[in-house]
Amino acid sequence: MESHEGCRRWNKTVDRQDEVCLLFQSAEVKEGWIFKLTIEMDIWSREKRSEVMSRIRNKGTKPEIMLRKALFARGFRYRVNVKSLPGKPDIVLPRYKTVIFVHGCFWHGHPGCKYAYTPKSNAEFWINKISSNRERDVITKHKLEESGWKVIIVWECELRHEKDFSNLIERLSLDIRSQNP
C-alpha cells in the first residue's frame, strides 16, 4: 500500500496507528473523467491481513474435534479427511457408509444464521467466494450420494451451544445407526 500524506490515524480503541487511505480511482463519464473516492480501512496492513487469513485452518478445527470426541465416546470409529472421497469429508464412518461435514457458518453461508454475514469491505469478493463454496458443497453432496454414501451436514452454530450439544449428538447417533448395513 502506498503511503500518502494523512494515511495514518490514531486508533484510541486499540492504542495504535491505523492505515486510513483515500484512494482515487478513475471512472469514465460521458463528459470526461471524474474520480471515485474509495475509503480503504483495516487495522492491519495488506501483508499482515494476508498472513492472518492464511492461518485460518480448514481441517482439525475446534468444532470438528468436539464432534469427533463425542462420536468416539459413543463408540463410533471413523476416518478423518479421506482424500479418495469427493470433498475430503471431515468425518468418514465406513462401517455405516456415512460422511459428516462440519461447515463453518460464515464460510458456507448458513441461511438464517447470525454467524453467516457478508463483510462490508470487499463485499463482492465475499459474496462470490461464499456462493461458490455453497455450489461446490451441493456438487460434492450429490457425488457422494450417487456413490451410495449418506451425507450429514453439521453447522458450526449447532456445536457452539452446549445446552443443545448433547441433543445434537444423540440425534446424530440415531441418524448414523439408522443407516447400518
Side-chain angles (χ1 to χ4, degrees):
M1 180 180 282
E2 286 185 40
S3 180
H4 298 286
E5 189 70 33
C7 272
R8 296 193 172 275
R9 72 170 167 81
W10 193 260
N11 187 329
K12 293 176 185 172
T13 309
V14 288
D15 198 31
R16 69 165 173 245
Q17 281 190 337
D18 288 345
E19 300 259 342
V20 179
C21 293
L22 303 177
L23 303 176
F24 290 98
Q25 299 173 336
S26 60
E28 194 169 353
V29 181
K30 289 181 184 176
E31 288 83 42
W33 290 88
I34 63 163
F35 289 94
K36 271 194 320 188
L37 185 61
T38 326
I39 299 176
E40 186 176 305
M41 294 178 58
D42 199 349
I43 61 170
W44 290 318
S45 69
R46 189 175 182 95
E47 294 79 21
K48 177 67 174 174
R49 172 64 61 202
S50 178
E51 179 186 338
V52 168
M53 293 300 287
S54 72
R55 292 176 186 244
I56 294 174
R57 300 165 68 171
N58 65 348
K59 56 186 174 183
T61 62
K62 187 176 177 181
E64 286 177 34
I65 293 169
M66 281 176 53
L67 183 59
R68 291 196 317 237
K69 284 181 178 182
L71 290 173
F72 191 89
R74 300 238 178 190
F76 292 104
R77 299 301 176 253
Y78 51 82
R79 294 173 61 202
V80 180
N81 302 111
V82 176
K83 293 178 184 177
S84 61
L85 292 174
K88 292 193 302 187
D90 299 315
I91 301 170
V92 179
L93 300 146
R95 177 180 175 191
Y96 300 97
K97 192 90 171 170
T98 302
V99 298
I100 300 174
F101 287 98
V102 180
H103 283 341
C105 297
F106 172 77
W107 296 104
H108 295 270
H110 188 194
C113 179
K114 70 178 182 179
Y115 303 114
Y117 61 92
T118 304
K120 290 180 181 154
S121 63
N122 207 1
E124 185 179 345
F125 166 80
W126 288 110
I127 290 168
N128 292 336
K129 170 74 174 157
I130 293 167
S131 64
S132 67
N133 286 351
R134 293 182 73 171
E135 289 170 15
R136 189 184 63 240
D137 294 340
V138 169
I139 292 167
T140 300
K141 183 178 181 190
H142 184 68
K143 286 180 182 177
L144 286 164
E145 287 172 342
E146 281 183 341
S147 302
W149 289 89
K150 180 175 186 173
V151 179
I152 298 174
I153 308 284
V154 177
W155 291 97
E156 172 191 14
C157 62
E158 293 177 298
L159 297 170
R160 281 188 178 198
H161 306 292
E162 290 186 28
K163 62 181 180 181
D164 301 331
F165 185 70
S166 58
N167 294 334
L168 171 69
I169 298 304
E170 189 61 39
R171 194 176 75 238
L172 278 175
S173 299
L174 294 171
D175 199 17
I176 293 166
R177 288 198 168 104
S178 71
Q179 187 69 20
N180 196 354

